[in-house]
Amino acid sequence: MSFNRVEEESFSTTFDIGSLPKHYEFNEFISDEDVESDRDDLPRLVLMGLRGSGKTSIQKVVFQKMSPNETLFIGSNNSMLKDVVNNSAFVNFQICDFPGHFDFTDSEYDVQSILQGCQSLVFVIDAQDAIASALNRLHSVVTKAYKINKNIKFEVFIHKVDGLTEDTKMETQREIHQRANDDLVDSGDEQKIYISFHLTSIYDHSIFEAFSRVVQKMIPHYATLENFLNIIIQTSGIEKAFLYDVKTKIYVATDSSPVDIQSYELCCDMIDVVIDLSNIYGMGQNPGLTNDPAFDDQSSSLIKLNNGTILYLREVCSFLALVCILREDNFEKQRIIDYNFVILRKGIHKLFELKDKEKESIESRNPPSFK
Amino acid sequence: METLNGAAVEYTSDGEISEQMSGTVTHSLRKLGKRKVNILIMGRGSSGKTSMRSIIFDNYEPIDTRRLCATNEIETTHFPFLGHMLFNIKDCGGQDTFFNDYLSHKRRHLFHNIDVFVYLFEAKNGDEEFAKDLKQFQSLLSAICKGSPLVNVFCLIHKMDLVKPDQREKLFKDRENELINISKPAKISCYMTSIWDESLYGVWSSIVYRLMSNVHKLENTLKLFAEEMECDEVILFERATLLVVAKYVRVPPSDEKRPQRVSKTIKNFKAKLDRNKISHDLFEIKLSSNRIDFVQHQKLKSTFFKIITRQLSTTKNKWLTQSDVWMRKSATILEIS
């Protein structure tokens, strides 16, 4: 008899959600220089924020499938946590989780080199506590990071908004936005630095949504992917298409129509249930291989809802799935949709190859030799 | 329909006897050909009775049960099940004073015509506490057996998640033996449960299984259907609770908890959809080797059908028409039961 939750094992490594946390380096501070240099080619995402703002919780919930209620037991960490997310060809990066008390002058962390390879800096603000000092901190972090690396994209997560009412949420966001910009104006950086703001909470899908947007900015081929999806929704009569990373439920791309949080949640729920059921029924074929995902490229799923909508899921390649929302009437042309999907899949695979080639060409830095 | 004769007595939460009202309910049920099933849930205070009921019948998530507070006296809920049954669930507060009350004042009414008696033991309780539990259970059991000789008794060793994994099996065996010994000659079934996993669905599915008088007929039709359609597994779920009503499995799976786990997964999904006020009519998943379908009958809204087939053996159209025919058939069986 297996229980998902055991009191003595609140940090147990078994998660009932089907996807598996890949790198299980729980609270492990990687000081090994070799390992680090191995991963240096990956894009880097840095998490910063005041102590207790919820940085580590975010990381655990989004990337290690910890249940939000268990994050209460996470203590504050005093060293930098590094983790590599390497799910699919599009979602692979390194996360650096800085401790809250960290200081730029601190020699313990190699801030210079970390920020040099950093693509995205996520600053977490606790919406319910110490906003003023968080804003001061944000300003100093942003200006210093900008001096080191001018290409960093700054993202602010206004976190723990689950405790606020709908009105105060908006107000808080407006206020934080205003004051952060005022600070930048005061120091004369407003033309150069652009910060985006997201309202997040680990208790609903907003944190996944926000992370999706952050990750999308890190994908070099995002525009191409978006274009692919635009074409498929036009030709197949689909209302909305998401390209999901099924492990983290981050969507790496969507078509250019605006994202409605409800449909995003619906698709997340669908992925959850499909993966759970595939795990129940798919494991029988490969007993012993617990790492072997039951969800493979033959997988597809269809849910007909009673409001005349259809959710259609197809696997693109390992851990990447296309989820479409469409009207029931348009699903009569299922064969066309399937055909279009096959073409889309080919396109995405080509994109992968392109990406790999780019990588190779960067790695082999030898100039081409002419005769 | 053996439960319909005899006056069923209900207690409101104030402890008043509303005999007359209950009489009308029973009467109208009889007119509709429905059957009232009396379920009595008991156990010591804060052993998890109301949590269990809320998860199975009220779509609570396990984490939400923290919000529940102690039950005062008896809380009666009605739950229509499969169109022809009405569960009358009496959730009895477990404090000692209530217990004395049950066994003295209310003895005459409370233990009459009980179809199912569920008693919860806390797994983490030491032997001393357990002995106290046993004593209480024993006096209740003898009272119930007198009032309703056809009762099905279920003992749950609950909150198993609080016991270390390697000790669970042994603890359960010990408790089970002791329980079987003291409750002779009445027959009881013991289960180990926790609200954090799928075990509750297993228990309640077997409760439902016991209550269905013509379940064999249903299973036979399931079998015929499965053979016709070359399915590996056909399971009939109740729609609201997602309890397993009947199943036919051609190839026994390695994991016998599979139906329960499916119940739990789908129920979670359903709860999420409910939040958006939608529900799913049809749900299919294709894996490389299996295909899972959930179909819901258009008219008989109280059941779900889940069918696992080997892929490619049948075309979809044939599948749909066949399943429709079969559903109508099983619907009639359910109605005449």
Side-chain angles (χ1 to χ4, degrees), chain A residues 1-8 16 69 262 266 269-270 272-274 276-278 280-282 285 294 296 298-307, chain B residues 63 160-161 164 168 192 194 196-197 199 233 258 261-262 264-266 269 272-273 278-290 292 306 308:
Chain A
M1 191 156 198
S2 69
F3 285 84
N4 297 331
R5 219 192 101 106
V6 182
E7 202 80 346
E8 293 93 306
D16 58 345
N69 299 299
Q262 255 181 359
L266 207 58
D269 294 341
M270 179 182 189
D272 271 342
V273 70
V274 168
D276 283 357
L277 285 173
S278 326
I280 295 174
Y281 281 101
Q285 271 67 45
D296 54 27
Q298 298 292 312
S299 295
S300 74
S301 177
L302 173 90
I303 299 180
K304 204 184 259 180
L305 298 172
N306 65 348
N307 58 0
Chain B
I63 197 82
M160 255 315 180
D161 50 313
K164 286 202 178 89
R168 282 174 194 160
M192 50 176 169
S194 160
W196 301 102
D197 69 359
S199 53
E233 189 176 300
R258 210 152 79 171
R261 287 168 62 194
V262 176
K264 189 180 179 228
T265 314
I266 301 290
F269 181 59
K272 283 175 187 162
L273 287 185
I278 42 177
S279 66
H280 61 277
D281 289 343
L282 188 123
F283 182 7
E284 61 170 55
I285 299 175
K286 281 186 203 139
L287 304 172
S288 47
S289 52
N290 281 319
I292 312 168
K306 190 195 64 162
I308 316 292

Side-chain angles (χ1 to χ4, degrees), chain A residues 45 63 90-93 120 210-219 250-252:
Chain A
L45 190 149
F63 298 104
F90 293 116
V91 183
N92 46 1
F93 50 86
S120 197
F211 242 104
S212 303
R213 295 192 187 270
V214 173
V215 170
Q216 281 162 17
K217 288 187 192 163
M218 294 168 70
I219 297 173
I250 281 177
Y251 64 94
V252 294

